[in-house]
Amino acid sequence: MKKCMLALTAGILCAAGAHAQSYQSRQPHDGAVTAIAVRADEQSFYTAGSDGFLVKWGNPGQGESQGERYQISDIPIALIAGNPDANDVAVYESNGLATNRVAVYDWNTFGRRFAKRFKSSVTCLSYSAKGSYLFVGTSAVNGMYILSARTGDVLKNIKTIPGVITMARTGDSEKTAIMYSPSGYLYYWDMKKGNVKLRFPTEASLEQPCLFGSGKFQNRFFAGVKANTIYVIDATTGKTLASYNATNPMLASCGGDYEEGLFYISDLGRGYSLSLISSESLVDYLMQTADSTLPSSNLVKNFMGLKGSDSFVTIAKNQESVILGTKEGDIYSFSDIKESETYSLEPITQGRFGRVNDLCSEGTNFYALAEGKIYRADFNEGSTEELASAPADADRMAFRGKDIILWTEGSRAPVHKLSLEDRTSEVLFTPPASISNVRLTEQGILYVKGNNTVSLYDMDTGKSTDLYSGSTIEDAALAGNTLYVAKAASSANDSALMSVNIKTRETVPIKMDGTVAFSLSHTTDGASIYGVEIENKGDDEYLTQVFAYDTKAKTFRFLLKLNNEDSSASTQLKGDELFTNIGRTQVYAYNLKTNKCVTYRRSASLPVKAVSGQNLLAVLNNDGSISWYNPRSKQQLAIWHITDEGEWESD
């Protein structure tokens, strides 16, 4: 248990991550493997995925490799880099839109050292040779930054290189950095003086840029891919030494003194090949100490065994192995030893967990919606009971009397009622537009449709009535005859929170500083409304706050705050406790009587929703697992996963 301050800054929230824990598994990523980074010790490597997970794997050449899993983001991780002199790993998180964030984590504690937001997408992320600097290149003009690897302070924003940078790397002394711009230039940057020492024109528009070479010729050769051709370039002149045809090639350079050269795989249609462009042959060709003919690439082995329609999307190389990640989340690894026969691949990942889509409780009973079925979960007995099948597309649920209401978030799919007495299901209604934020009230089912209308479905009459229409509606809550609508404010004179008398339809704006409000909760008597607001402070600065609104006094008080933007924060009210996951990293329980707040230590996955029962707290996590807690001691008791076969496993 950890006491919370009433005002939680971003730093305090992230520091709480040190109290989190990873778990060991051979589980693949849920979605594409987006990046692989080999650790400096060469005995392990990191993988990152579109699921926001980082996984640290042991050396695949030493038997079965378990992955140490930890989720750092609820959006995809696009790039990663391991610090060669520490247990830090840098990540670039991006949703492909406005969020472009670079953060550094300490893998020993899972604490975040720092985070930096960038207005443009990141094109390059790498550490210097000794780990003193972190290079961040962006797609903006003058968008190359050199950061302190320890603090994240911007040491230099390079403005004398006009083009986008997609590769940056230093020599062992860290005195000089070589950078590649797809505009067709190699730059040598003086790290001490802060200027360009040399510039060479070279092949433009190369993808997968990398350096390789060994011994006295370490980092001498530069390579990249364009139009199914691999170009090998003298990094000291920019001149092309050789080019090699390959189908959809993927380059893997490990960059150490032991390196034999540049390994790459190419697509053969029904399989793949691994080939090597030898550093030694390139040196001979460059120095003309041997036959001066163009050195050819050498076939190392052919291989096959990729599952179904899956495909390789990322690659890395350590001293002994080639490591591959796929579009469907699997990791493969195999030796670089030459073989004459076709090699059959087997993934080091194995098994897949299913996903619990939603969770609700009633007294001592907990109900889970997972893999198209409704389960009753009994933690004390360590068992689950399958109650009934759910509509195939239903991903949300709520308990009402002896029934469970099921719907599909962001869809026009029908809303169903499942009777727990006879375990039969019926369609209540089919919404005319996509629905969200469905809430069960005494009057019926309150829901937002099309993000512009709040409607109420009467369970007795079977009819829906529109209660409020407007733009950019985020949420709604009905307390007695008053409807509270959370929305995005459309102008400086607009409000993000409205009250509506559902009998007279009188609409009153509730003045608040937030530019958007969402995730509402309220007391049974409607005396207090709780929710989350985000205030845009300007200059890309945001404040996210959990608020309490006194409906009689018409006053606000703020329970928790985060000096950052968190559009995924939620609130759930149970008795005198308000639960929230503001900051994404923990679950906080704020006692509304004592004004004290405690933290529930997160599991490896980010918490999404807290569900309080009579004697237990269950937290639904981002990866579809359930974390169980003792609400008295605040200790985590277990983590439950469901497999694709519908079996439950406990950590």
Side-chain angles (χ1 to χ4, degrees):
M1 181 179 75
K2 178 179 180 292
K3 294 285 184 180
C4 297
M5 295 178 63
L6 298 189
L8 293 170
T9 66
I12 293 173
L13 282 174
C14 295
H19 297 270
Q21 60 183 351
S22 62
Y23 69 88
Q24 300 280 338
S25 171
R26 295 182 69 185
Q27 172 82 359
H29 284 278
D30 184 11
V33 181
T34 53
I36 304 173
V38 176
R39 285 169 54 89
D41 60 11
E42 293 292 327
Q43 301 304 307
S44 57
F45 61 93
Y46 296 110
T47 62
S50 58
D51 56 4
F53 269 89
L54 268 179
V55 186
K56 178 185 173 184
W57 301 89
N59 191 337
Q62 299 177 355
E64 291 188 354
S65 176
Q66 289 280 337
E68 185 182 1
R69 303 171 58 82
Y70 190 76
Q71 187 179 19
I72 62 169
S73 180
D74 57 355
I75 60 175
I77 302 170
L79 298 171
I80 57 175
N83 190 319
D85 194 47
N87 282 306
D88 290 356
V89 56
V91 303
Y92 163 49
E93 310 160 52
S94 176
N95 60 1
L97 299 170
T99 301
N100 296 288
R101 181 171 53 239
V102 171
V104 170
Y105 290 83
D106 181 335
W107 191 258
N108 287 336
T109 64
F110 303 111
R112 192 170 73 179
R113 292 199 184 280
F114 63 82
K116 294 285 184 183
R117 293 173 65 98
F118 293 88
K119 294 182 178 179
S120 303
S121 59
V122 172
T123 57
C124 166
L125 183 69
S126 60
Y127 279 99
S128 57
K130 294 180 180 179
S132 304
Y133 309 104
L134 180 64
F135 295 98
V136 180
T138 73
S139 59
V141 176
N142 300 328
M144 183 67 197
Y145 299 87
I146 302 175
L147 277 57
S148 164
R150 186 70 182 178
T151 66
D153 294 336
V154 176
L155 304 178
K156 187 68 178 180
N157 174 203
I158 300 177
K159 297 182 178 180
T160 52
I161 298 178
V164 173
I165 300 298
T166 56
M167 184 206 74
R169 187 162 159 184
T170 70
D172 289 342
S173 67
E174 295 189 333
K175 293 180 180 179
T176 302
I178 180 173
M179 303 178 185
Y180 172 69
S181 171
S183 60
Y185 286 95
L186 282 171
Y187 295 91
Y188 283 83
W189 177 265
D190 190 313
M191 296 291 291
K192 186 176 182 180
K193 295 181 179 179
N195 58 22
V196 175
K197 296 171 62 175
L198 296 168
R199 184 187 75 163
F200 300 113
T202 191
E203 194 72 37
S205 304
L206 292 179
E207 298 178 345
Q208 306 180 53
C210 63
L211 292 172
F212 67 102
S214 58
K216 294 181 179 179
F217 290 87
Q218 184 182 12
N219 297 339
R220 177 64 181 266
F221 304 109
F222 171 69
V225 174
K226 181 170 62 174
N228 288 328
T229 301
I230 300 170
Y231 291 87
V232 176
I233 293 162
D234 184 345
T236 64
T237 65
K239 294 181 179 179
T240 299
L241 298 176
S243 61
Y244 303 88
N245 294 326
T247 304
N248 299 322
M250 296 174 62
L251 309 185
S253 174
C254 50
D257 282 333
Y258 53 79
E259 189 178 8
E260 297 175 66
L262 179 67
F263 286 88
Y264 67 93
I265 68 167
S266 55
D267 192 342
L268 302 178
R270 294 187 176 181
Y272 296 83
S273 66
L274 173 68
S275 300
L276 169 67
I277 301 172
S278 167
S279 293
E280 183 179 356
S281 65
L282 285 169
V283 170
D284 289 342
Y285 178 66
L286 184 66
M287 306 304 293
Q288 306 226 341
T289 56
D291 186 354
S292 61
T293 59
L294 178 69
S296 60
S297 65
N298 302 311
L299 176 66
V300 177
K301 65 179 71 176
N302 292 322
F303 60 94
M304 59 191 309
L306 196 59
K307 296 179 181 179
S309 60
D310 203 2
S311 59
F312 295 119
V313 291
T314 188
I315 186 172
K317 177 76 173 63
N318 67 5
Q319 191 168 3
E320 301 173 346
S321 306
V322 176
I323 306 157
L324 295 163
T326 76
K327 180 178 65 176
E328 295 182 1
D330 280 309
I331 310 294
Y332 292 81
S333 178
F334 59 93
S335 167
D336 61 9
I337 297 175
K338 188 169 185 178
E339 296 184 50
S340 57
E341 296 185 1
T342 300
Y343 180 76
S344 181
L345 287 178
E346 289 291 338
I348 64 174
T349 43
Q350 186 176 2
R352 290 183 182 273
F353 291 136
R355 173 177 290 276
V356 176
N357 291 310
D358 206 359
L359 194 65
C360 63
S361 69
E362 182 273 327
T364 59
N365 292 318
F366 287 83
Y367 299 91
L369 171 61
E371 303 301 300
K373 298 182 185 300
I374 302 292
Y375 295 88
R376 179 163 47 219
D378 189 326
F379 179 81
N380 294 323
E381 294 293 330
S383 64
T384 58
E385 177 190 4
E386 182 182 320
L387 298 179
S389 295
D393 53 359
D395 59 9
R396 295 291 184 270
M397 65 187 299
F399 194 87
R400 190 178 196 275
K402 295 182 179 180
D403 302 322
I404 289 180
I405 308 300
L406 297 154
W407 68 94
T408 307
E409 188 80 6
S411 169
R412 296 174 58 183
V415 176
H416 290 75
K417 181 181 76 171
L418 173 67
S419 170
L420 292 179
E421 289 187 327
D422 57 18
R423 301 187 182 183
T424 59
S425 177
E426 64 173 292
V427 173
L428 293 178
F429 66 98
T430 300
S434 61
I435 62 172
S436 60
N437 301 98
V438 176
R439 298 181 182 277
L440 306 188
T441 71
E442 292 182 357
Q443 298 94 322
I445 301 175
L446 187 74
Y447 61 97
V448 177
K449 64 180 181 183
N451 297 115
N452 55 27
T453 305
V454 181
S455 299
L456 178 67
Y457 174 81
D458 189 309
M459 297 285 288
D460 296 326
T461 65
K463 294 182 179 180
S464 286
T465 303
D466 293 343
L467 303 180
Y468 174 84
S469 294
S471 59
T472 60
I473 299 174
E474 297 286 341
D475 199 2
L478 184 59
N481 291 322
T482 304
L483 175 72
Y484 293 90
V485 180
K487 57 191 283 293
S490 58
S491 67
N493 297 321
D494 194 12
S495 176
L497 187 64
M498 317 282 291
S499 70
V500 182
N501 185 308
I502 62 172
K503 288 188 174 182
T504 65
R505 299 303 171 94
E506 179 186 7
T507 301
V508 178
I510 300 173
K511 183 175 177 55
M512 67 186 322
D513 292 330
T515 50
V516 60
F518 53 95
S519 193
L520 300 180
S521 301
H522 66 87
T523 54
T524 304
D525 60 4
S528 295
I529 303 295
Y530 305 96
V532 183
E533 67 159 27
I534 298 177
E535 182 181 353
N536 188 338
K537 309 288 284 186
D539 295 327
D540 203 30
E541 292 186 6
Y542 296 87
L543 176 65
T544 303
Q545 299 186 99
V546 177
F547 66 82
Y549 177 68
D550 187 317
T551 60
K552 293 182 179 179
K554 302 187 184 310
T555 56
F556 283 94
R557 65 188 180 107
F558 297 99
L559 312 181
L560 302 169
K561 69 178 181 180
L562 172 74
N563 291 321
N564 207 334
E565 181 182 16
D566 183 4
S567 58
S568 66
S570 64
T571 67
Q572 296 91 35
L573 180 65
K574 185 64 180 286
D576 294 326
E577 285 192 303
L578 184 70
F579 297 92
T580 179
N581 65 341
I582 183 174
R584 301 183 178 96
T585 60
Q586 310 285 345
V587 169
Y588 300 94
Y590 190 100
N591 189 298
L592 298 166
K593 280 191 172 181
T594 64
N595 290 330
K596 292 183 179 180
C597 178
V598 295
T599 303
Y600 288 87
R601 185 179 70 169
R602 60 165 282 191
S603 66
S605 182
L606 295 173
V608 174
K609 176 182 180 181
V611 177
S612 180
Q614 187 170 328
N615 299 309
L616 289 166
L617 178 73
V619 173
L620 178 62
N621 299 313
N622 186 271
D623 66 350
S625 62
I626 301 173
S627 298
W628 296 92
Y629 297 86
N630 182 325
R632 293 184 178 87
S633 67
K634 307 300 185 288
Q635 295 301 307
Q636 187 178 97
L637 303 174
I639 303 171
W640 284 13
H641 302 269
I642 186 171
T643 68
D644 279 347
E645 292 75 30
E647 300 294 329
W648 290 83
E649 296 182 1
S650 176
D651 291 353

